[in-house]
Amino acid sequence: MIGGMDHLPTTEAAVTALREIAAEYSREIEITHDIGADQTSRRSAAGVGVTADPDGSLPHEAYAEFGGLPRVSVRLYPEDDALISVEGVECPDIPRDDVPAFLRSVFGGLAYVKARRFPPGRTLIVPLPGDRTYREYLPMIHLTPWLSGRVR
């Protein structure tokens, strides 16, 4: 939450929130920016040299990698959503406004892996305020030491 705001209206506001979370949890952060329709990942059909969207706006996408364990990266899309990767487990379509709470849950030790015996399977569970959770299925061979240490 930056400056008391829950809503992150721009990619730059979201990047500022990521930097604050990195400082809060004493983590290094590396951020790269892609600006322009010809640079952002979801606008590959824009054509070479086409920087603005048809409405004249300039799309802005950012990618952040946090240092330390767990390994976490965030790709902020211009469409107000994000792809968060935790130890290689991709959590797609996270609303941009939920990114700070998601990261605080992971870095704060609230995220865990739920194991099921039959049928065998594991799911990364990331609790958020308001009794909401994000769940992402984990392939059995994909348990890193950090994920294995959070199995319940």
Side-chain angles (χ1 to χ4, degrees):
M1 180 161 39
I2 67 170
M5 294 181 0
D6 287 333
H7 179 62
L8 302 172
T10 65
T11 299
E12 197 55 46
V15 166
T16 299
L18 294 181
R19 290 184 196 280
E20 289 177 3
I21 290 168
E24 182 180 333
Y25 289 94
S26 301
R27 291 179 170 259
E28 291 183 14
I29 187 170
E30 185 175 318
I31 298 174
T32 57
H33 296 269
D34 295 317
I35 300 173
D38 61 342
Q39 300 296 310
T40 58
S41 62
R42 291 184 176 169
R43 306 277 199 316
S44 59
V48 176
V50 177
T51 57
D53 279 344
D55 65 359
S57 65
L58 196 61
H60 178 191
E61 184 174 293
Y63 178 77
E65 282 189 81
F66 290 86
L69 289 177
R71 294 171 307 160
V72 174
S73 66
V74 179
R75 180 166 299 279
L76 297 165
Y77 295 110
E79 294 84 8
D80 296 336
D81 68 326
L83 167 68
I84 300 177
S85 176
V86 178
E87 285 292 307
V89 178
E90 291 190 345
C91 304
D93 304 321
I94 307 293
R96 188 176 358 203
D97 291 344
D98 284 349
V99 170
F102 187 104
L103 294 175
R104 283 187 177 97
S105 182
V106 170
F107 295 147
L110 299 176
Y112 62 95
V113 174
K114 183 176 182 178
R116 197 176 55 213
R117 289 183 188 232
F118 190 80
R122 294 191 169 100
T123 305
L124 175 64
I125 310 288
V126 181
L128 298 183
D131 291 330
R132 297 178 303 134
T133 59
Y134 281 98
R135 300 169 182 269
E136 199 61 43
Y137 173 76
L138 300 173
M140 293 299 279
I141 59 171
H142 192 73
L143 281 182
T144 65
W146 186 88
L147 291 168
S148 293
R150 274 136 193 92
V151 173
R152 292 186 186 171

